[in-house]
Amino acid sequence: MTLTRIATASRKVIALAAASSVLTLGMPMPAQAITTPGVITGTAAGLASCLSYRVEGVCFFLRCKLTFCWIETSIKISHYVPDVVVSTYNEPLQHPWTDIGRVVATTMNGASSTVFSQLFDSSAGGLNSASAMANFKGADAIGNPAGMLAGIIANGGQVTIPTALVIPGPFELSQFPGQLSSIASSWANVPASIAGTVASDARRMLDAPGQLLGSLQTIMRGVQGVRQVMEIADTVNLVYGAANTFQQIGSMITGSTGGTMLLCPGSATLFGLHFQSELDAPFWRGVIPVEMLYPDSWVPGLGEIGSGYTQTWGPTFPRTGEIIQAHPVKASAVLAERVKSIIYRSAQPHIYAKVELQGTKDYVYFNEDKAQWQMLHPNTWTSCQQFGANDSLSLTSWGDGQTDSADGYSWNLWKHYVCCQRRGAFLFSVP
């Protein structure tokens, strides 16, 4: 489907809002909850600041025919791509992304209760009073439609709009047992006072993982029974309503090249469901405490969001939905970082679909692990930033003025990529 066809396609509006208003009567809802067109236009609002496009150098390739060889080059570029939207929420029906996230969250909540033969309370729960500290949230990561722009441009304006959303399976979880030996090795650097006391149960589980592996096998069999796709044809049609924004973004970054590829395709997939805490409930809720096997879950200072002893955010580990954080916006930000640390790695002890590069056949990528965030809800930022700012000496806290009445937040994850277009057998790059 070309951008032109998207721009002229008919627009449909789904009736989800009417149904939700009946189901959620009396329940606080996210203020001005976003829809798919809102995600796309919000992404466009941050493009000028968040893209950070740079020419880094030149890549050299070897091309050969039967009798001779020659050198070809392509420019080496770097920029950020809005791969996924990470949302946190108190309860599935309060999900801030109405036409995708809310439908998926409510469906997965029912599915997880059936699959695991255990009724999971749909309410994640939040701050019960102004002095409360413990926060527990649901979360998910869904591919940003606007993040596909790099791939669309690379394919000459062609993009396939899916009509179904694929539910993550147990593949990555099935690979996790192979990580146990490396996790056990990482304990060698943990102070004995910690490894031999509070973390002793984790060490015993690593030394004799039979019961743990049995639990994982049970979970994997259950996940395999979940319906593998979810029809979202009506929802996907909302992309058509933002077609003009697609056109504007495309014109901003193709310049006068006539559509020549100038971007790294990145890892964005159109409405790819990479993580859903309702499906991952046995691990996200800590029912099976696999996250406690990692030293980072026990040693203060490891994997903290921010740096220094005065940081006021929270740790990346354990990667569950519970966090000790009084500020709701900071709590959401830390949970978003936890989701990110899961979906960009292989063989993690969760039910998820890893975010994978889309253009490895036609592009050479250089390792980068940087990312930045843009709030999409309840407010739309026009710039990006990294979490972890030290506000310990400030009169105000990071996130003040950004809170949502229903405690629902959506964040655009802009991932950094460095690449060059493949022109043969890669030799080297300068620099």
Side-chain angles (χ1 to χ4, degrees), residues 18-38:
S20 295
S21 64
V22 176
L23 293 171
T24 61
L25 185 63
M27 180 184 297
M29 297 302 295
Q32 299 177 341
I34 57 173
T35 60
T36 297

Side-chain angles (χ1 to χ4, degrees), residues 55-60 76 366 428-431:
V55 175
E56 300 284 351
V58 180
C59 292
F60 293 82
K76 181 180 180 181
F366 301 86
F428 59 90
S429 68
V430 179

